[in-house]
Amino acid sequence: MVKSNNSGKTASEKTLVIVESPAKARTISKFLGNNYMVEASIGHIRDLPSGKKEMPETLKGEKWAYLGVNVDSQFEPVYIVPDDKKKHVSKLKKILSECDHLYLATDEDREGEAISWHLSEVLKPTVPVHRLVFHEITREAIQEALQNPRQIDQRMVQAQETRRILDRLYGFEMSAFLWKKSLGKSAGRVQSVAVRLIVERERERIAFVSANWWDLLGMFQTAQKESLSAELVSYQGRFIPSGKDFDSTTGKIKNNDLLVLNETQVLELADTLRNSDFVVENVEVKPYTRSPSAPFTTSTLQQEANRKLGYTAKRTMRAAQSLYENGYITYMRTDSTTLSNEAVQAARSLVRAEYGPDFLPDQPRIYVNKVKNAQEAHEAIRPAGNTFRLPSQVRAELAEEQFRLFELIWKRTIASQMANSSGKQIIVTVVGGGAKFQVSGKTIDFPGFLRAYVEGSDDPTSELADQERILPNVTPGQPLKCIDLEAKTHTTQAPARFSEAALTRELERRGIGRPSTYASIIETIQDRKYVVKRTNYLVPTWNAFAVVRLMEEHFLNLVDYEFTAQMEDFLDSISRGEADQSKYLNEFYWGNGQAGLKPKLDDKIKVVDAREICTFPIAMQTLVPGESPICVRVGRYGAYLEQGDRRATLREELAPDELNLTMAKELLENSQAAEEPLGLCPETQRPVYIKQGRFGPYVQLGVIDENDKPKNSSLLKGMEPGQVSLDIALKLLSLPRNLGPHPSDGLPIEAFNGKFGPYVKWGTETRSLPSDVSVLDVSMDRALELLNQPKLRGRGRAAPKEPLRVFENSPVTEQPIKLLDGRYGPYLSDGTTNASLPKDVSAEQVTLEFALQLLAQRAAAGGSKKKATKKSSVKKTSAKKSTPKKSASKKSTAANAAKKSSTKKTAVKKNSKEASAE
């Protein structure tokens, strides 16, 4: 007798389950029986064509073929299966032909719903089709989903399709316009708005005028020798200003009643007050309570991981995706702050067990969603399961990056169900000699949720100590002795640039885009060179200034914040079945009373002056009669300064707000001086110049013309343009230098100034030059001496660089942990294991704890062990040797290149849901 299960299937029937990723497939297959076959779609199996060449032959002649959307007929999309997916689709069809049921178990958001729909459309199943939805990959969640399958939600599919078409129309049409005007590489519906936010902040920084003021810090002492430091807040009834009291565009005080002191005045005041009698005027005590933050959404997870762990949005989502697919956390693309009843009980049980009943509130905490129409899954990001494993229990199972994110999610979830913290805020006012000083203190009477999680800190215990500021126990009327009065200066600060976390928060606050796409948006605007990352902040390029100016002056509605947010509202209304897809797309593209995107672009292509759009006068210029203004021009190959016939290249690393009139004049003068040659080359009689390029100064032989590209050579590291004479310039232009033939085989020995520093080369053998040997002067004897030495690993430097930093000894190797500057960037070494720093971690951010964790992770993975020196490397060169052997490092490089190539091919196939940007 064949046994039947609750879903209507018999135990002998075969079932195909399709998810998006292989990792998710492996995890789910653990919870299903032998009759289930779990396969991955590997993201979308079909999409809009990338251009006209991918369109079906019968449609290539259509005027809208380049869009892949029939804008003349209800905006019907054309879907194709990409070439790299055809083989995989055939495989899925074959497996399905052998099965009796099909379960589509893609993610439960709109993108996942669309993937399921595309699978159903392409595979054309003749067996029953069910939609499985779950927000965590656990045995219980999978079994519950199997018992309660549903059908594909066509409204969610239509909402995703509308978004995809809208982004295609905007992206393709606007990008083509930018290309025609040589203004940019691409445009996106949300990426353009994100760039505008960053540019607006930079404009504020450019317009900012700093202000300076002084005050006093008074050091007082009680009769019991207890110290109290307080700041001057007023003198003779006039208050001392703070930064917000100054106009950011003029640097002037907003309220003339405030007392603005300069250095001389504040020192005179200090002398006046030193001998005054001081007493405590008032002690104000205010009780306070603080509630925990809600569990993580996609946006708040990205923000907090950036602040606390230094992770980029992309890195956070990569780690979260892995945690979800392997069953450690719930679905990581969500707008919801809601926790299921099971999760609430699991969190409360842990609070009681780990922290005690005093830390558990009487009733579970309920969090209300702040995001309008939250629809990306139905629960906040939390540890998976009905009982939560402790971080210590999963540490050995996770890579360091994943563990740190899991621990962050675990702490935030537990803290969200803990009691409030409470304490007292204390303000002590001290008066004397007509002056008033104040100091604030804070005590924590009950830490509550702070015991588990402090927002913005990795170490709750340490943060608790930092938050408390204990003041001496003083009372009104109590006399104090003035020990010292210290003059302090203050300067107003320009508005801070956006970090990834701050930009994510601002986009979400304005209701622009979806949190699940913020990571790809931030990545895209950097890839397109609209934004560069400096430390942890996003700096716009001049190209971004030009594009934003174009959008604001000619297409304002497309970068209007309210208009873009309303687009999101409309897409949400489609998912609820309240709006018509084709009507909205028609109004957006063609217009309704007002010109839509297409007619507006057709009109503006005739009137937009790209030169005007790309010209930015330098602020605060006072021109003499007949003098041309100094402007920044954005050209095809980068930004440059222009004043009449004079031009000067702007270095790429120079931020827009750092360019002032003084610097611009200096750059133009230096550039003009570069037009005057250092002299003539005695061999060619051509002029030799010193030039300033986008990547730094260089020397050039001759002038650029249509028939000749002049030879040039970069200056050596540490060499300043003012130090370059004609003789030195000629030596630089002579590189590589031929030092002569090698005694053993007659092959030439040459001296080069390479990308990674100066070196000598003989055949395939290379040796880096020590810092005390110049490539311009190295002799044949010194070159032979270096070539006879065994080649060192890495960059092969005979004189290794000094470590960037040295930490304490490793408890494993008992050798100092060093942060070194390698050929491919900074890396850590404990004498045995090497570990490269992640790309988004700077050398300044590395702590001993981080170094130990990274080295331990690398050692556990079995990679980057320091290799012992081979015996052959110390053998003398054989007399029979006629040509130098191919170095081991070359083989290693080839192996690494092959590995990178393989990795790159794999990366191309990654989930298009993660790769796409709005």
Side-chain angles (χ1 to χ4, degrees):
M1 181 177 179
V2 178
K3 189 176 180 180
S4 174
N5 61 25
N6 293 339
S7 63
K9 301 193 299 84
T10 60
S12 61
E13 293 177 332
K14 289 185 178 181
T15 298
L16 173 61
V17 179
I18 302 179
V19 297
E20 298 101 314
S21 72
K24 188 175 176 182
R26 288 193 297 270
T27 305
I28 290 178
S29 63
K30 299 175 185 176
F31 309 131
L32 300 174
N34 295 331
N35 289 341
Y36 287 87
M37 302 181 68
V38 186
E39 294 290 335
S41 68
I42 315 178
H44 278 280
I45 62 167
R46 71 173 186 173
D47 197 2
L48 298 175
S50 61
K52 187 174 181 179
K53 62 181 180 181
E54 290 188 357
M55 286 285 286
E57 288 296 332
T58 56
L59 298 176
K60 282 185 177 179
E62 300 290 342
K63 60 182 180 180
W64 47 262
Y66 67 100
L67 291 170
V69 177
N70 188 346
V71 295
D72 296 328
S73 178
Q74 303 297 312
F75 292 86
E76 183 180 352
V78 176
Y79 291 116
I80 65 162
V81 177
D83 290 340
D84 62 344
K85 287 293 183 76
K86 289 179 179 178
K87 185 176 180 181
H88 189 64
V89 168
S90 297
K91 173 187 172 183
L92 293 176
K93 286 182 175 180
K94 184 176 185 303
I95 296 172
L96 180 60
S97 67
E98 301 169 358
C99 293
D100 304 292
H101 292 267
L102 172 63
Y103 282 86
L104 300 172
T106 53
D107 292 339
E108 55 178 332
D109 57 10
R110 292 194 293 226
E111 202 74 26
E113 205 72 22
I115 292 175
S116 284
W117 177 73
H118 283 296
L119 283 166
S120 179
E121 291 290 302
V122 172
L123 298 181
K124 301 186 183 305
T126 58
V127 298
V129 179
H130 309 279
R131 177 80 170 97
L132 286 188
V133 290
F134 44 82
H135 71 280
E136 61 182 348
I137 305 178
T138 60
R139 186 180 302 278
E140 295 78 11
I142 301 303
Q143 292 300 327
E144 182 180 352
L146 285 170
Q147 299 300 321
N148 299 282
R150 64 166 172 80
Q151 297 301 307
I152 293 172
D153 188 331
Q154 293 297 332
R155 294 186 304 183
M156 289 181 69
V157 173
Q158 190 177 45
Q160 186 276 342
E161 184 175 74
T162 307
R163 177 187 296 275
R164 185 74 183 92
I165 295 172
L166 189 65
D167 290 340
R168 169 56 63 90
L169 298 176
Y170 186 117
F172 272 38
E173 297 287 21
M174 276 304 310
S175 296
F177 187 93
L178 293 179
W179 271 103
K180 291 174 184 177
K181 293 295 181 179
S182 301
L183 286 168
K185 295 182 177 180
S186 71
R189 185 172 58 86
V190 178
Q191 102 186 25
S192 297
V193 177
V195 172
R196 185 188 181 196
L197 283 169
I198 296 169
V199 167
E200 283 186 338
R201 182 60 53 87
E202 196 74 5
R203 287 171 178 164
E204 293 175 10
R205 291 175 64 87
I206 292 172
F208 178 78
V209 177
S210 63
N212 181 267
W213 79 99
W214 290 74
D215 64 11
L216 287 172
L217 178 66
M219 275 71 83
F220 304 97
Q221 194 177 74
T222 67
Q224 292 75 33
K225 305 296 183 182
E226 294 178 300
S227 297
L228 181 73
S229 298
E231 292 183 347
L232 178 68
V233 294
S234 70
Y235 179 64
Q236 295 183 345
R238 295 182 67 187
F239 285 97
I240 305 298
S242 62
K244 69 180 186 305
D245 295 314
F246 294 88
D247 190 316
S248 63
T249 59
T250 65
K252 296 180 179 180
I253 192 73
K254 296 177 183 177
N255 183 355
N256 290 325
D257 292 335
L258 297 176
L259 180 59
V260 183
L261 299 171
N262 59 33
E263 184 177 11
T264 301
Q265 292 169 327
V266 83
L267 290 174
E268 290 175 353
L269 178 60
D271 290 337
T272 301
L273 295 175
R274 284 186 203 283
N275 299 320
S276 299
D277 295 326
F278 290 90
V279 297
V280 176
E281 180 187 54
N282 187 43
V283 179
E284 185 179 8
V285 180
K286 297 179 179 179
Y288 75 89
T289 59
R290 181 179 167 190
S291 301
S293 299
F296 281 131
T297 62
T298 302
S299 172
T300 55
L301 176 64
Q302 290 176 9
Q303 294 171 45
E304 193 72 344
N306 184 257
R307 286 193 295 262
K308 296 181 73 170
L309 306 181
Y311 290 1
T312 62
K314 178 183 178 181
R315 185 178 179 187
T316 297
M317 294 307 289
R318 180 183 65 206
Q321 181 87 30
S322 177
L323 289 171
Y324 166 67
E325 291 178 344
N326 288 284
Y328 289 97
I329 64 171
T330 54
Y331 190 52
M332 69 290 162
R333 292 187 179 90
T334 174
D335 294 332
S336 176
T337 54
T338 303
L339 291 177
S340 66
N341 291 333
E342 294 81 3
V344 169
Q345 293 307 314
R348 288 175 61 83
S349 297
L350 265 175
V351 172
R352 185 182 291 107
E354 294 294 317
Y355 302 98
D358 291 342
F359 288 82
L360 188 68
D362 294 336
Q363 299 295 327
R365 291 185 181 275
I366 306 299
Y367 294 92
V368 179
N369 287 325
K370 294 182 180 180
V371 178
K372 183 180 178 181
N373 192 34
Q375 51 79 34
E376 303 280 7
H378 67 275
E379 192 172 3
I381 305 170
R382 62 167 177 86
N386 296 330
T387 57
F388 298 162
R389 299 167 68 188
L390 298 173
S392 58
Q393 295 174 317
V394 303
R395 183 162 200 156
E397 303 171 12
L398 298 174
E400 185 65 22
E401 180 180 77
Q402 297 167 349
F403 171 75
R404 294 183 74 194
L405 194 67
F406 174 82
E407 186 180 41
L408 191 69
I409 294 167
W410 188 93
K411 287 179 178 179
R412 178 82 164 224
T413 306
I414 300 305
S416 73
Q417 292 300 317
M418 292 178 71
N420 292 341
S421 67
S422 61
K424 298 183 182 67
Q425 290 180 331
I426 304 163
I427 300 175
V428 176
T429 304
V430 178
V431 295
K436 182 179 289 187
F437 294 80
Q438 278 188 348
V439 60
S440 297
K442 183 178 182 180
T443 62
I444 298 176
D445 298 333
F446 178 66
F449 73 92
L450 295 175
R451 186 68 71 193
Y453 182 86
V454 181
E455 194 168 20
S457 172
D458 282 320
D459 184 354
T461 304
S462 172
E463 183 69 14
L464 285 175
D466 291 341
Q467 284 193 348
E468 281 196 311
R469 185 179 183 186
I470 308 299
L471 301 180
N473 188 16
V474 295
T475 58
Q478 180 177 341
L480 296 176
K481 180 181 179 181
C482 180
I483 303 300
D484 192 18
L485 291 168
E486 178 186 343
K488 295 183 65 178
T489 183
H490 306 273
T491 302
T492 54
Q493 301 297 313
R497 292 189 178 99
F498 284 107
S499 63
E500 288 195 11
L503 181 62
T504 296
R505 183 171 62 249
E506 185 66 11
L507 288 169
E508 183 179 45
R509 184 185 72 81
R510 293 176 180 270
I512 295 169
R514 303 301 302 180
S516 58
T517 64
Y518 291 158
S520 57
I521 290 167
I522 292 171
E523 181 183 10
T524 298
I525 62 178
Q526 292 180 76
D527 290 344
R528 299 293 186 266
K529 304 299 182 184
Y530 291 129
V531 172
V532 295
K533 198 167 184 181
R534 180 183 292 184
T535 60
N536 196 38
Y537 294 97
L538 302 171
V539 183
T541 63
W542 284 107
N543 197 49
F545 270 71
V547 171
V548 169
R549 183 176 179 180
L550 168 77
M551 299 299 289
E552 289 175 336
E553 294 184 5
H554 297 280
F555 306 97
L556 181 59
N557 66 313
L558 296 181
V559 287
D560 179 76
Y561 303 126
E562 186 63 29
F563 177 79
T564 309
Q566 289 172 357
M567 284 185 180
E568 299 300 331
D569 293 339
F570 178 80
L571 292 169
D572 290 337
S573 67
I574 290 179
S575 67
R576 298 190 300 266
E578 300 169 357
D580 180 74
Q581 173 189 28
S582 60
K583 180 181 177 183
Y584 181 79
L585 291 173
N586 188 75
E587 290 179 359
F588 172 78
Y589 190 74
W590 294 115
N592 182 20
Q594 294 182 341
L597 175 67
K598 181 61 174 176
K600 186 175 291 188
L601 286 169
D602 292 342
D603 176 62
K604 292 294 184 179
I605 197 70
K606 308 168 188 173
V607 299
V608 169
D609 184 343
R611 181 179 177 84
E612 179 183 348
I613 291 291
C614 293
T615 302
F616 300 91
I618 300 294
M620 307 301 290
Q621 295 185 60
T622 303
L623 302 178
V624 299
E627 183 182 35
S628 299
I630 301 175
C631 301
V632 173
R633 289 288 314 282
V634 181
R636 185 181 295 273
Y637 303 107
Y640 59 93
L641 288 170
E642 182 180 75
Q643 185 184 34
D645 295 331
R646 298 199 300 171
R647 287 177 174 76
T649 302
L650 287 176
R651 301 190 309 274
E652 288 192 337
E653 66 270 19
L654 183 67
D657 80 318
E658 296 171 352
L659 179 64
N660 54 41
L661 186 58
T662 302
M663 183 186 297
K665 288 181 176 179
E666 182 180 339
L667 289 171
L668 284 165
E669 288 169 3
N670 291 341
S671 177
Q672 188 173 30
E675 298 303 317
E676 297 295 327
L678 296 171
L680 297 178
C681 171
E683 294 183 8
T684 65
Q685 293 301 304
R686 300 173 71 184
V688 178
Y689 300 92
I690 181 163
K691 299 279 189 177
Q692 180 69 43
R694 293 166 61 195
F695 306 107
Y698 64 96
V699 292
Q700 176 179 299
L701 177 63
V703 295
I704 300 175
D705 59 40
E706 296 180 358
N707 303 317
D708 186 26
K709 182 178 180 181
K711 183 176 182 179
N712 58 61
S713 179
S714 298
L715 270 58
L716 302 182
K717 185 176 181 180
M719 186 180 284
E720 295 294 333
Q723 300 171 330
V724 179
S725 63
L726 176 61
D727 181 56
I728 292 176
L730 291 171
K731 286 184 177 182
L732 289 169
L733 290 165
S734 71
L735 295 176
R737 291 173 56 215
N738 189 333
L739 304 183
H742 194 282
S744 67
D745 57 16
L747 290 177
I749 297 177
E750 297 174 293
F752 291 81
N753 182 28
K755 181 179 180 180
F756 302 107
Y759 64 97
V760 290
K761 181 180 181 183
W762 162 49
T764 57
E765 289 288 332
T766 60
R767 298 292 185 274
S768 295
L769 293 180
S771 57
D772 60 342
V773 178
S774 171
V775 68
L776 303 180
D777 304 316
V778 61
S779 64
M780 169 65 89
D781 290 341
R782 188 71 173 100
L784 287 171
E785 180 185 338
L786 291 170
L787 288 165
N788 285 335
Q789 293 177 3
K791 186 165 186 176
L792 301 180
R793 60 187 302 280
R795 293 172 72 169
R797 294 190 179 278
K801 282 186 176 181
E802 289 295 316
L804 300 175
R805 293 172 68 185
V806 179
F807 300 93
E808 298 175 14
N809 287 1
S810 165
V812 178
T813 66
E814 298 184 352
Q815 296 185 49
I817 296 176
K818 298 179 181 180
L819 180 60
L820 303 167
D821 185 16
R823 178 173 182 177
Y824 301 107
Y827 67 97
L828 290 160
S829 177
D830 61 5
T832 301
T833 300
N834 293 342
S836 297
L837 292 189
K839 289 184 178 180
D840 50 2
V841 176
S842 67
E844 293 75 16
Q845 294 175 307
V846 178
T847 62
L848 175 62
E849 180 185 5
F850 177 81
L852 290 170
Q853 291 175 343
L854 193 64
L855 287 164
Q857 178 185 352
R858 194 61 173 160
S864 289
K865 296 285 185 180
K866 297 187 76 173
K867 298 177 181 178
T869 305
K870 294 182 180 180
K871 292 182 180 179
S872 59
S873 65
V874 296
K875 289 182 180 180
K876 294 183 179 179
T877 305
S878 171
K880 296 181 180 180
K881 180 179 177 181
S882 59
T883 57
K885 291 183 179 179
K886 188 173 184 179
S887 67
S889 65
K890 292 282 186 181
K891 296 177 183 178
S892 175
T893 302
N896 288 338
K899 184 177 179 180
K900 287 180 181 179
S901 175
S902 175
T903 304
K904 186 174 182 181
K905 290 177 182 177
T906 303
V908 170
K909 297 182 180 180
K910 70 178 181 177
N911 191 333
S912 62
K913 182 166 88 176
E914 297 178 32
S916 64
E918 295 183 60

